[in-house]
Amino acid sequence: LGNVWVADAFSLAPRLAVGRGAASVCQNSWGGAFTCPLLRASSMRSQQRGRAGLLTVAMADPAMIKRLENTAMQFEGLTQQLGDPSLDTQSMLKITMKRASLEEVVTCYNDWKESTEGVEEAQLLFQEAGDDPEMKEMAREEMKMLEPKILALEERLKILMLPKDPNDDRDVMVEIRAGTGGDEAAIWARELMGVYTKYALSQGWKTEMLEESDSSFVMSVRGGSVFSKMKFESGVHRVQRVPATETQGRVHTSTATVAIMPEVDEVTVKIDPKEYTLTTARSSGAGGQNV
């Protein structure tokens, strides 16, 4: 049936290799195909057609694997820091937020490693099964089940490892002001505020109305990764409809502007008295005026 070989994508070491030249050639006989395309260079790929199918084997990009390993190590380090009783509240909050931002990447990475190890074990079982058809069929089913899971995890990892906006985890201030359209624009602005309020509640965020008038609203939104989910709402929002204020059934176009601003950290400004001077000016006139 031929040799079955898979590269260990994370250590870049083949487990069932029989030689660098021959081990890069893979063969199967179960009539399926298996791929592990996590950010691999095309020059690293090697494939050979078997009597009943095609098995594609590739080695992962070492730079990406190193980034994932470093992320996992950083996550473990942050977890250990949380157990330090000497941490103050502010430091603990920063560590908790940093750890939470890495948790999804590490979880996805660990699932990927477990799935690839499962494939290797299934292929080892297939190789050692000899002439036992039941064992071979069990190995085939295991690999067929793990293949789509691995592909989905790899695609997810590609997205999770993209660079993030440093403001993504910040809370925001939402400012909505009526634009052109008169009373209808004010109605539209209020409806937009209602939409964002309901969306925030659906995400488990906390909202607080800071300013409110007939045509403008300012709201604070606090929660997890608020700015990352709302930053693209900034801009001019337009509506075309027959407004409630229209008596002749004409369609009106109204606009409202939306500004999503990330909240900045509180800072304490200290001014040394030596850095400023006080001057007094006095003027007088015929009438006795003085300043």
Side-chain angles (χ1 to χ4, degrees), residues 4-7 16 30 34 55 57 118-128 139 143:
V4 178
W5 176 88
V6 164
L16 300 177
W30 54 79
F34 183 79
L55 178 66
V57 175
V119 169
E120 293 178 7
E121 293 174 359
Q123 292 185 329
L124 180 60
L125 177 64
F126 185 89
Q127 187 183 42
E128 296 176 347
M143 285 183 280

Side-chain angles (χ1 to χ4, degrees), residues 191-211:
E191 290 178 353
L192 283 176
M193 177 55 67
V195 169
Y196 291 129
T197 301
K198 291 180 180 178
Y199 176 72
L201 294 176
S202 70
Q203 298 294 313
W205 300 336
K206 296 182 180 179
T207 62
E208 180 184 359
M209 187 67 68
L210 302 179
E211 296 181 17

Side-chain angles (χ1 to χ4, degrees), residues 3-290:
N3 295 327
V4 178
W5 176 88
V6 164
D8 184 341
F10 287 91
S11 65
L12 300 181
R15 299 240 178 132
L16 300 177
V18 295
R20 290 193 178 275
S24 296
V25 178
C26 307
Q27 201 172 25
N28 72 37
S29 60
W30 54 79
F34 183 79
T35 57
C36 294
L38 176 61
L39 299 179
R40 302 178 177 101
S42 59
S43 60
M44 299 292 290
R45 297 189 177 183
S46 59
Q47 51 184 294
Q48 176 179 338
R49 292 188 179 277
R51 289 176 297 183
L54 177 68
L55 178 66
T56 302
V57 175
M59 298 179 70
D61 180 8
M64 177 57 66
I65 302 307
K66 185 175 180 62
R67 284 184 60 195
L68 289 169
E69 288 290 355
N70 290 339
T71 300
M73 292 175 60
Q74 185 180 8
F75 180 81
E76 291 299 326
L78 293 171
T79 302
Q80 295 177 4
Q81 290 181 36
L82 287 176
D84 186 356
S86 63
L87 281 178
D88 56 63
T89 304
Q90 191 67 23
S91 299
M92 182 172 292
L93 179 60
K94 290 182 179 180
I95 293 174
T96 302
M97 294 179 62
K98 180 62 177 177
R99 183 182 180 278
S101 67
L102 301 177
E103 186 171 6
E104 187 175 3
V105 178
V106 174
T107 300
C108 187
Y109 173 52
N110 290 336
D111 290 344
W112 191 94
K113 288 197 296 185
E114 292 177 2
S115 299
T116 53
E117 289 172 359
V119 169
E120 293 178 7
E121 293 174 359
Q123 292 185 329
L124 180 60
L125 177 64
F126 185 89
Q127 187 183 42
E128 296 176 347
D131 296 331
D132 188 341
E134 294 184 0
M135 294 295 290
K136 290 182 178 180
E137 182 62 27
M138 184 185 302
R140 294 189 192 104
E141 292 300 323
E142 181 71 12
M143 285 183 280
K144 289 180 181 179
M145 179 183 68
L146 289 174
E147 176 185 1
K149 180 180 179 180
I150 290 176
L151 293 176
L153 288 171
E154 290 177 350
E155 291 301 318
R156 182 61 182 162
L157 277 173
K158 292 178 185 178
I159 296 174
L160 292 175
M161 293 303 289
L162 291 174
K164 292 185 177 180
D165 187 328
N167 293 323
D168 277 352
D169 294 330
R170 292 184 179 272
D171 300 328
V172 302
M173 301 285 286
V174 180
E175 180 185 81
I176 301 178
R177 298 188 182 279
T180 58
D183 292 340
E184 169 63 6
I187 295 173
W188 173 232
R190 183 173 292 277
E191 290 178 353
L192 283 176
M193 177 55 67
V195 169
Y196 291 129
T197 301
K198 291 180 180 178
Y199 176 72
L201 294 176
S202 70
Q203 298 294 313
W205 300 336
K206 296 182 180 179
T207 62
E208 180 184 359
M209 187 67 68
L210 302 179
E211 296 181 17
E212 182 177 4
S213 66
D214 293 337
S215 59
S216 64
F217 309 88
V218 179
M219 177 176 65
S220 171
V221 183
R222 301 179 181 275
S225 302
V226 180
F227 186 70
S228 67
K229 296 181 179 180
M230 295 194 65
K231 58 184 176 182
F232 298 111
E233 294 298 314
S234 293
V236 178
H237 294 247
R238 183 184 68 172
V239 63
Q240 289 181 300
R241 63 186 179 186
V242 178
T245 56
E246 173 60 43
T247 59
Q248 300 181 10
R250 294 175 296 185
V251 175
H252 287 227
T253 300
S254 302
T255 62
T257 59
V258 177
I260 308 295
M261 299 167 287
E263 291 189 355
V264 299
D265 296 330
E266 293 185 2
V267 295
T268 302
V269 180
K270 295 182 179 180
I271 301 177
D272 190 339
K274 298 179 181 179
E275 297 178 353
Y276 62 86
T277 58
L278 295 177
T279 59
T280 302
R282 189 181 298 272
S283 64
S284 61
Q289 303 96 337
N290 61 78

